[in-house]
Amino acid sequence: MAIVIDPDDVEFSAIRAQGPGGQNVNKVSNAVQARFDIGASSLPLFVKERLRAQADARITREGVVVIKAQRARSLERNREDALARLQAMVDAAAAVPTVRKPTRPTRGSQRRRLEAKSRSGEVKALRGKVRE
């Protein structure tokens, strides 16, 4: 089940990018800060709870996801990048992990393990000092 984020739920603001860029980096605000309020969004309830439970530094105490995108040189591409990263975050929260069913080791694997242990013990016993 694909959960698509409504772009209207995301608040974008243009900020100054960090790093090299010469004079242009001081004039143009090309980086994008995307703010996504988990509680006010149109996501299903279980996805909201799983997003809030994540130990991610991009999620504030108030439940707002803040993503800063400054990889590209254009504002629009940074906006798309921020939306894609937010979508990946939501997809990861929406994926329900499969529950592991505990199984017992087979009798043959137990026997092989014990034989390997005894063989290794014999090898180590032979490493002692030579006695005459």
Side-chain angles (χ1 to χ4, degrees):
M1 170 174 92
I3 298 172
V4 181
I5 296 175
D6 185 14
D8 296 334
D9 288 346
V10 186
E11 178 188 319
F12 293 101
S13 59
I15 56 174
R16 295 261 167 96
Q18 294 174 318
Q23 294 174 345
N24 195 49
V25 81
N26 300 326
K27 302 186 296 188
V28 184
S29 299
N30 276 345
V32 170
Q33 187 178 50
R35 298 180 67 82
F36 179 72
D37 190 359
I38 298 171
S41 68
S42 59
L43 294 175
L45 189 62
F46 79 98
V47 177
K48 288 181 184 182
E49 289 172 356
R50 289 176 59 125
L51 263 175
R52 281 196 194 106
Q54 284 182 352
D56 198 324
R58 297 173 292 183
I59 302 174
T60 64
R61 283 194 195 102
E62 294 80 32
V64 177
V65 180
V66 180
I67 295 178
K68 182 178 178 184
Q70 59 180 10
R71 293 178 185 164
R73 290 180 70 170
S74 76
L75 190 68
E76 191 55 40
R77 286 197 26 214
N78 280 331
R79 191 179 150 111
E80 291 168 5
D81 180 40
L83 205 54
R85 284 162 51 193
L86 181 62
Q87 184 66 51
M89 208 171 163
V90 170
D91 290 343
V96 180
T98 55
V99 179
R100 181 190 176 276
K101 296 177 186 171
T103 57
R104 298 187 64 195
T106 61
R107 207 175 270 160
S109 71
Q110 287 178 346
R111 182 180 47 76
R112 285 189 298 273
R113 184 179 64 88
L114 292 175
E115 285 174 359
K117 281 180 70 161
S118 63
R119 240 180 286 131
S120 138
E122 288 171 8
V123 167
K124 289 182 179 184
L126 292 172
R127 288 187 192 151
K129 289 185 179 178
V130 179
R131 295 186 187 94
E132 291 182 26

